[in-house]
Amino acid sequence: MKKEFTTKIIAGKYKGKKIVLPPLEVTRSSKAILRESLFNRLQNEIYDTNFVEVFGGSGSVGLEALSRGAKYAYFIEKERNSYEILRRNAKNIDEKSTKIYLGDAFELIFDIVEELKRKKEKAYFYFDPPFSIREGMEEIYDKVFETIKKIPKNIVEMIIIEHMSKLKMPEKLGNYKLEKTKKFGKSSLSYYI
């Protein structure tokens, strides 16, 4: 039997619950220190809001958001095995508060946008593109930036991008301006409002 890699929910009502991670060849999980910093920044703002983890992977960030009081989390994952692991993680933690899409994030994000518009609700959008681990990902950031520009601001609380630290982030993305960037070794978080 292959060894499963796991991480844990850091804080909140599901603190300590296990999250299974997909194999490293297909996804890389957001580091605990980075997740901790993200939720220290969002603190009580996240309570009773929606959270969209655009490149779902294991779902560690969106599930952490639910643990810390978000009311609902949306996930999109393209890779079938990662999707199945994400479904399992959601089922073990808070299935009723999640909606998981299998497919291309750049297309399916607009299904979530439409749902939020219909409900007249806002969300935090978290982008953590698979930058250095999948073939054909050279243009991923350009695609992410173009997608963000198309998200209507009336449904956005904040947009957060996890990215390679060496990447120079644009000051503006359509309606959104860079609030700050925080670095964690090779990865950084940039916040757009």
Side-chain angles (χ1 to χ4, degrees):
M1 176 137 169
K2 270 204 331 215
K3 180 176 174 4
E4 273 189 339
F5 291 97
T6 61
T7 186
K8 283 187 164 84
I9 298 280
I10 300 166
K13 63 183 171 187
Y14 303 122
K15 181 181 178 173
K17 281 212 168 209
K18 192 167 78 168
I19 294 173
V20 176
L21 303 175
L24 284 174
E25 314 77 80
V26 293
T27 179
R28 84 200 136 62
S29 179
S30 298
K31 289 192 213 96
I33 188 169
L34 193 138
R35 278 188 288 143
E36 185 71 55
S37 173
L38 169 69
F39 289 104
N40 284 344
R41 163 65 185 83
L42 300 182
Q43 291 248 328
N44 305 328
E45 290 173 40
I46 195 111
Y47 187 76
D48 208 28
T49 62
N50 297 295
F51 195 91
V52 181
E53 191 170 356
V54 181
F55 300 92
S58 66
S60 64
V61 181
L63 293 169
E64 186 79 39
L66 288 175
S67 183
R68 294 179 186 239
K71 71 174 175 185
Y72 206 79
Y74 297 87
F75 302 90
I76 308 168
E77 179 50 51
K78 189 176 188 173
E79 203 268 325
R80 166 71 66 181
N81 185 42
S82 299
Y83 168 79
E84 293 301 337
I85 289 171
L86 173 51
R87 282 188 47 197
R88 202 167 102 201
N89 287 335
K91 190 176 167 107
N92 290 338
I93 292 169
D94 190 353
E95 188 175 30
K96 69 184 185 327
S97 304
T98 62
K99 190 167 189 177
I100 305 168
Y101 294 83
L102 173 64
D104 188 330
F106 296 110
E107 293 165 15
L108 292 171
I109 190 170
F110 294 103
D111 291 356
I112 297 169
V113 165
E114 287 309 311
E115 185 171 326
L116 290 166
K117 278 174 23 186
R118 229 179 14 257
K119 291 178 170 176
K120 294 182 172 50
E121 291 186 354
K122 292 183 167 193
Y124 288 85
F125 287 82
Y126 189 83
F127 289 82
D128 175 15
F131 45 79
S132 58
I133 54 165
R134 290 191 192 163
E135 283 298 304
M137 289 295 161
E138 297 71 31
E139 271 89 58
I140 191 96
Y141 287 115
D142 294 335
K143 282 178 84 172
V144 165
F145 298 157
E146 288 311 307
T147 300
I148 289 169
K149 289 175 188 175
K150 293 178 194 155
I151 300 173
K153 66 180 184 193
N154 62 326
I155 61 155
V156 173
E157 295 282 1
M158 183 183 281
I159 290 174
I160 304 122
I161 307 171
E162 183 178 334
H163 57 88
M164 294 183 291
S165 293
K166 64 184 178 197
L167 183 72
K168 173 86 176 92
M169 297 300 282
E171 286 299 315
K172 280 197 79 165
L173 289 172
N175 292 312
Y176 309 102
K177 67 179 200 308
L178 182 63
E179 182 194 53
K180 73 171 189 176
T181 296
K182 193 154 186 199
K183 192 174 167 188
F184 307 86
K186 289 182 180 167
S187 295
S188 289
L189 287 176
S190 287
Y191 297 86
Y192 285 84
I193 50 174

Short mmCIF file of all heavy atoms in Angstrom, two decimals, residues 6-11 16-17 19 21 28-41 58 60-61 64-65 68 126 128 162 182-184 187 189 191:
data_model
loop_
_atom_site.label_atom_id
_atom_site.label_comp_id
_atom_site.label_asym_id
_atom_site.label_seq_id
_atom_site.Cartn_x
_atom_site.Cartn_y
_atom_site.Cartn_z
N THR A 6 -0.39 13.61 4.27
CA THR A 6 -1.52 14.36 4.84
C THR A 6 -1.02 15.67 5.45
O THR A 6 0.16 15.85 5.70
CB THR A 6 -2.23 13.54 5.96
OG1 THR A 6 -1.30 13.30 7.01
CG2 THR A 6 -2.79 12.24 5.43
N THR A 7 -1.98 16.55 5.67
CA THR A 7 -1.75 17.76 6.46
C THR A 7 -2.97 17.86 7.37
O THR A 7 -3.83 16.99 7.34
CB THR A 7 -1.58 18.99 5.54
OG1 THR A 7 -1.22 20.12 6.35
CG2 THR A 7 -2.82 19.33 4.73
N LYS A 8 -3.02 18.89 8.18
CA LYS A 8 -4.14 19.03 9.11
C LYS A 8 -4.73 20.43 9.03
O LYS A 8 -4.04 21.38 8.70
CB LYS A 8 -3.66 18.79 10.55
CG LYS A 8 -3.43 17.32 10.89
CD LYS A 8 -3.12 17.18 12.37
CE LYS A 8 -3.27 15.76 12.85
NZ LYS A 8 -2.16 14.91 12.65
N ILE A 9 -6.01 20.52 9.39
CA ILE A 9 -6.64 21.82 9.57
C ILE A 9 -5.94 22.49 10.76
O ILE A 9 -5.76 21.87 11.81
CB ILE A 9 -8.16 21.67 9.86
CG1 ILE A 9 -8.87 21.01 8.68
CG2 ILE A 9 -8.78 23.01 10.23
CD1 ILE A 9 -9.21 21.87 7.51
N ILE A 10 -5.53 23.75 10.59
CA ILE A 10 -4.70 24.43 11.59
C ILE A 10 -5.52 24.95 12.78
O ILE A 10 -5.09 24.85 13.92
CB ILE A 10 -3.93 25.61 10.94
CG1 ILE A 10 -3.03 25.09 9.81
CG2 ILE A 10 -3.09 26.35 11.97
CD1 ILE A 10 -2.51 26.19 8.90
N ALA A 11 -6.68 25.53 12.49
CA ALA A 11 -7.46 26.16 13.57
C ALA A 11 -8.94 26.17 13.23
O ALA A 11 -9.34 25.85 12.12
CB ALA A 11 -6.97 27.59 13.80
N GLY A 16 -7.26 20.17 13.58
CA GLY A 16 -6.67 18.84 13.77
C GLY A 16 -7.20 17.78 12.82
O GLY A 16 -6.62 16.70 12.71
N LYS A 17 -8.30 18.07 12.12
CA LYS A 17 -8.82 17.08 11.16
C LYS A 17 -7.82 16.90 10.02
O LYS A 17 -7.20 17.85 9.56
CB LYS A 17 -10.18 17.52 10.61
CG LYS A 17 -11.30 17.25 11.57
CD LYS A 17 -12.57 16.95 10.79
CE LYS A 17 -13.62 16.38 11.72
NZ LYS A 17 -14.53 15.48 11.08
N ILE A 19 -6.28 16.13 6.34
CA ILE A 19 -6.52 16.37 4.91
C ILE A 19 -5.52 15.51 4.14
O ILE A 19 -4.32 15.64 4.34
CB ILE A 19 -6.33 17.86 4.55
CG1 ILE A 19 -7.40 18.71 5.24
CG2 ILE A 19 -6.39 18.06 3.04
CD1 ILE A 19 -7.18 20.19 5.09
N LEU A 21 -3.39 14.56 0.94
CA LEU A 21 -2.81 15.33 -0.16
C LEU A 21 -2.66 14.46 -1.40
O LEU A 21 -2.23 13.32 -1.30
CB LEU A 21 -1.44 15.88 0.24
CG LEU A 21 -1.40 16.75 1.49
CD1 LEU A 21 0.04 17.13 1.83
CD2 LEU A 21 -2.23 18.00 1.30
N ARG A 28 0.77 20.69 -5.50
CA ARG A 28 1.59 20.95 -4.32
C ARG A 28 0.72 21.71 -3.34
O ARG A 28 0.05 22.67 -3.70
CB ARG A 28 2.88 21.68 -4.75
CG ARG A 28 2.88 23.02 -4.90
CD ARG A 28 3.84 23.81 -5.66
NE ARG A 28 2.99 24.74 -6.39
CZ ARG A 28 2.20 25.62 -5.80
NH1 ARG A 28 2.18 25.78 -4.53
NH2 ARG A 28 1.44 26.38 -6.53
N SER A 29 0.71 21.23 -2.15
CA SER A 29 -0.16 21.78 -1.13
C SER A 29 0.39 23.11 -0.59
O SER A 29 1.59 23.29 -0.50
CB SER A 29 -0.27 20.78 0.03
OG SER A 29 -1.08 21.30 1.04
N SER A 30 -0.53 24.02 -0.27
CA SER A 30 -0.12 25.28 0.34
C SER A 30 0.46 25.00 1.72
O SER A 30 -0.14 24.29 2.52
CB SER A 30 -1.32 26.21 0.48
OG SER A 30 -1.83 26.51 -0.79
N LYS A 31 1.64 25.54 1.98
CA LYS A 31 2.33 25.30 3.26
C LYS A 31 1.49 25.80 4.43
O LYS A 31 0.80 26.81 4.33
CB LYS A 31 3.65 26.05 3.27
CG LYS A 31 4.72 25.50 2.37
CD LYS A 31 6.04 26.18 2.75
CE LYS A 31 6.95 26.39 1.59
NZ LYS A 31 6.90 27.69 0.96
N ALA A 32 1.63 25.11 5.55
CA ALA A 32 0.88 25.49 6.76
C ALA A 32 1.18 26.93 7.18
O ALA A 32 0.27 27.68 7.53
CB ALA A 32 1.20 24.52 7.90
N ILE A 33 2.45 27.35 7.08
CA ILE A 33 2.82 28.71 7.50
C ILE A 33 2.12 29.75 6.61
O ILE A 33 1.69 30.81 7.08
CB ILE A 33 4.37 28.91 7.49
CG1 ILE A 33 4.72 30.27 8.10
CG2 ILE A 33 4.96 28.77 6.11
CD1 ILE A 33 6.20 30.45 8.39
N LEU A 34 1.97 29.42 5.35
CA LEU A 34 1.30 30.31 4.41
C LEU A 34 -0.20 30.37 4.71
O LEU A 34 -0.81 31.44 4.76
CB LEU A 34 1.58 29.76 3.01
CG LEU A 34 1.27 30.63 1.82
CD1 LEU A 34 2.40 30.50 0.81
CD2 LEU A 34 0.00 30.14 1.20
N ARG A 35 -0.81 29.20 4.96
CA ARG A 35 -2.24 29.17 5.31
C ARG A 35 -2.49 29.93 6.60
O ARG A 35 -3.46 30.68 6.71
CB ARG A 35 -2.72 27.71 5.48
CG ARG A 35 -3.06 27.04 4.16
CD ARG A 35 -3.72 25.70 4.36
NE ARG A 35 -2.77 24.72 4.84
CZ ARG A 35 -3.05 23.77 5.73
NH1 ARG A 35 -4.24 23.65 6.24
NH2 ARG A 35 -2.12 22.92 6.11
N GLU A 36 -1.60 29.74 7.58
CA GLU A 36 -1.73 30.44 8.86
C GLU A 36 -1.71 31.95 8.65
O GLU A 36 -2.54 32.69 9.19
CB GLU A 36 -0.58 30.00 9.78
CG GLU A 36 -0.67 30.55 11.18
CD GLU A 36 -1.77 29.94 12.02
OE1 GLU A 36 -1.82 28.71 12.15
OE2 GLU A 36 -2.60 30.73 12.53
N SER A 37 -0.77 32.43 7.84
CA SER A 37 -0.65 33.86 7.56
C SER A 37 -1.90 34.38 6.84
O SER A 37 -2.42 35.44 7.17
CB SER A 37 0.59 34.12 6.71
OG SER A 37 0.62 35.47 6.31
N LEU A 38 -2.37 33.63 5.87
CA LEU A 38 -3.58 34.01 5.12
C LEU A 38 -4.75 34.23 6.07
O LEU A 38 -5.43 35.25 6.03
CB LEU A 38 -3.93 32.92 4.09
CG LEU A 38 -5.29 33.04 3.42
CD1 LEU A 38 -5.34 34.25 2.49
CD2 LEU A 38 -5.63 31.78 2.65
N PHE A 39 -4.98 33.26 6.95
CA PHE A 39 -6.15 33.36 7.83
C PHE A 39 -5.93 34.32 8.99
O PHE A 39 -6.89 34.85 9.53
CB PHE A 39 -6.62 31.97 8.25
CG PHE A 39 -7.24 31.26 7.08
CD1 PHE A 39 -6.55 30.26 6.41
CD2 PHE A 39 -8.48 31.64 6.59
CE1 PHE A 39 -7.10 29.63 5.31
CE2 PHE A 39 -9.04 31.02 5.49
CZ PHE A 39 -8.35 30.02 4.83
N ASN A 40 -4.67 34.61 9.33
CA ASN A 40 -4.42 35.70 10.28
C ASN A 40 -4.81 37.02 9.64
O ASN A 40 -5.35 37.91 10.30
CB ASN A 40 -2.94 35.74 10.69
CG ASN A 40 -2.60 34.65 11.69
OD1 ASN A 40 -3.48 34.05 12.29
ND2 ASN A 40 -1.32 34.40 11.84
N ARG A 41 -4.55 37.17 8.34
CA ARG A 41 -4.91 38.38 7.61
C ARG A 41 -6.44 38.50 7.49
O ARG A 41 -7.00 39.56 7.66
CB ARG A 41 -4.23 38.36 6.22
CG ARG A 41 -4.80 39.31 5.17
CD ARG A 41 -4.61 40.78 5.55
NE ARG A 41 -5.25 41.66 4.62
CZ ARG A 41 -6.55 42.00 4.65
NH1 ARG A 41 -7.37 41.51 5.54
NH2 ARG A 41 -7.04 42.84 3.76
N SER A 58 -5.97 19.54 -2.86
CA SER A 58 -6.51 18.79 -1.71
C SER A 58 -7.68 19.52 -1.05
O SER A 58 -8.39 18.95 -0.24
CB SER A 58 -5.41 18.60 -0.67
OG SER A 58 -5.03 19.86 -0.12
N SER A 60 -7.13 22.15 0.87
CA SER A 60 -6.65 22.55 2.21
C SER A 60 -6.98 24.00 2.57
O SER A 60 -7.25 24.30 3.73
CB SER A 60 -5.15 22.30 2.36
OG SER A 60 -4.41 23.09 1.46
N VAL A 61 -6.98 24.89 1.59
CA VAL A 61 -7.22 26.30 1.91
C VAL A 61 -8.73 26.55 2.10
O VAL A 61 -9.15 27.17 3.08
CB VAL A 61 -6.62 27.23 0.83
CG1 VAL A 61 -6.87 28.69 1.18
CG2 VAL A 61 -5.12 26.98 0.70
N GLU A 64 -9.92 24.94 5.29
CA GLU A 64 -9.45 25.77 6.42
C GLU A 64 -10.39 26.98 6.58
O GLU A 64 -10.75 27.36 7.70
CB GLU A 64 -8.02 26.24 6.19
CG GLU A 64 -7.39 26.98 7.34
CD GLU A 64 -6.89 26.10 8.48
OE1 GLU A 64 -6.33 25.02 8.23
OE2 GLU A 64 -7.07 26.52 9.64
N ALA A 65 -10.81 27.56 5.45
CA ALA A 65 -11.75 28.70 5.50
C ALA A 65 -13.06 28.28 6.18
O ALA A 65 -13.59 29.01 7.03
CB ALA A 65 -12.02 29.23 4.09
N ARG A 68 -12.73 28.00 9.85
CA ARG A 68 -12.62 29.30 10.52
C ARG A 68 -13.86 30.17 10.35
O ARG A 68 -13.81 31.36 10.60
CB ARG A 68 -11.38 30.02 10.01
CG ARG A 68 -10.11 29.27 10.44
CD ARG A 68 -8.90 29.96 9.92
NE ARG A 68 -7.68 29.23 10.17
CZ ARG A 68 -6.65 29.70 10.87
NH1 ARG A 68 -6.72 30.88 11.41
NH2 ARG A 68 -5.57 28.99 11.00
N TYR A 126 -9.49 32.50 -4.19
CA TYR A 126 -8.11 32.10 -3.92
C TYR A 126 -7.55 31.35 -5.13
O TYR A 126 -8.05 30.29 -5.51
CB TYR A 126 -8.07 31.19 -2.68
CG TYR A 126 -6.67 30.89 -2.20
CD1 TYR A 126 -6.00 31.79 -1.37
CD2 TYR A 126 -6.01 29.73 -2.58
CE1 TYR A 126 -4.72 31.54 -0.92
CE2 TYR A 126 -4.72 29.47 -2.13
CZ TYR A 126 -4.09 30.37 -1.31
OH TYR A 126 -2.82 30.12 -0.87
N ASP A 128 -4.29 29.53 -6.68
CA ASP A 128 -2.98 28.92 -6.44
C ASP A 128 -2.67 28.04 -7.64
O ASP A 128 -2.81 26.82 -7.59
CB ASP A 128 -3.01 28.11 -5.13
CG ASP A 128 -1.70 27.36 -4.88
OD1 ASP A 128 -0.70 27.68 -5.54
OD2 ASP A 128 -1.71 26.45 -4.04
N GLU A 162 -1.65 32.91 -4.68
CA GLU A 162 -0.42 32.28 -4.20
C GLU A 162 0.45 32.07 -5.43
O GLU A 162 -0.01 31.51 -6.43
CB GLU A 162 -0.72 30.94 -3.51
CG GLU A 162 0.51 30.28 -2.94
CD GLU A 162 0.21 28.96 -2.22
OE1 GLU A 162 -0.92 28.76 -1.72
OE2 GLU A 162 1.13 28.12 -2.16
N LYS A 182 3.05 39.17 0.59
CA LYS A 182 3.82 38.62 1.70
C LYS A 182 4.57 37.39 1.22
O LYS A 182 3.99 36.51 0.59
CB LYS A 182 2.89 38.27 2.86
CG LYS A 182 3.64 38.01 4.13
CD LYS A 182 2.78 38.27 5.35
CE LYS A 182 3.71 38.11 6.56
NZ LYS A 182 3.08 37.89 7.78
N LYS A 183 5.86 37.34 1.52
CA LYS A 183 6.73 36.30 1.00
C LYS A 183 7.00 35.20 2.03
O LYS A 183 7.19 35.50 3.20
CB LYS A 183 8.06 36.96 0.58
CG LYS A 183 8.96 36.10 -0.24
CD LYS A 183 10.17 36.90 -0.70
CE LYS A 183 11.21 35.95 -1.25
NZ LYS A 183 12.47 36.57 -1.55
N PHE A 184 7.01 33.95 1.56
CA PHE A 184 7.33 32.78 2.38
C PHE A 184 8.30 31.91 1.60
O PHE A 184 7.91 30.94 0.96
CB PHE A 184 6.07 31.95 2.68
CG PHE A 184 4.95 32.77 3.26
CD1 PHE A 184 4.07 33.44 2.44
CD2 PHE A 184 4.80 32.88 4.63
CE1 PHE A 184 3.05 34.20 2.97
CE2 PHE A 184 3.78 33.64 5.17
CZ PHE A 184 2.91 34.31 4.34
N SER A 187 7.42 30.78 -2.17
CA SER A 187 6.02 31.13 -2.43
C SER A 187 5.67 32.46 -1.77
O SER A 187 6.22 32.79 -0.72
CB SER A 187 5.08 30.06 -1.90
OG SER A 187 5.26 28.86 -2.60
N LEU A 189 2.11 35.33 -1.14
CA LEU A 189 0.68 35.61 -1.24
C LEU A 189 0.50 37.08 -1.62
O LEU A 189 1.10 37.95 -0.99
CB LEU A 189 -0.02 35.38 0.10
CG LEU A 189 -0.24 33.95 0.56
CD1 LEU A 189 -0.86 33.95 1.94
CD2 LEU A 189 -1.14 33.19 -0.42
N TYR A 191 -2.49 40.04 -2.23
CA TYR A 191 -3.89 40.35 -1.94
C TYR A 191 -4.35 41.50 -2.82
O TYR A 191 -3.71 42.55 -2.85
CB TYR A 191 -4.01 40.77 -0.47
CG TYR A 191 -3.64 39.69 0.52
CD1 TYR A 191 -2.31 39.50 0.91
CD2 TYR A 191 -4.61 38.86 1.06
CE1 TYR A 191 -1.96 38.51 1.82
CE2 TYR A 191 -4.27 37.88 1.97
CZ TYR A 191 -2.95 37.70 2.35
OH TYR A 191 -2.61 36.72 3.25
#
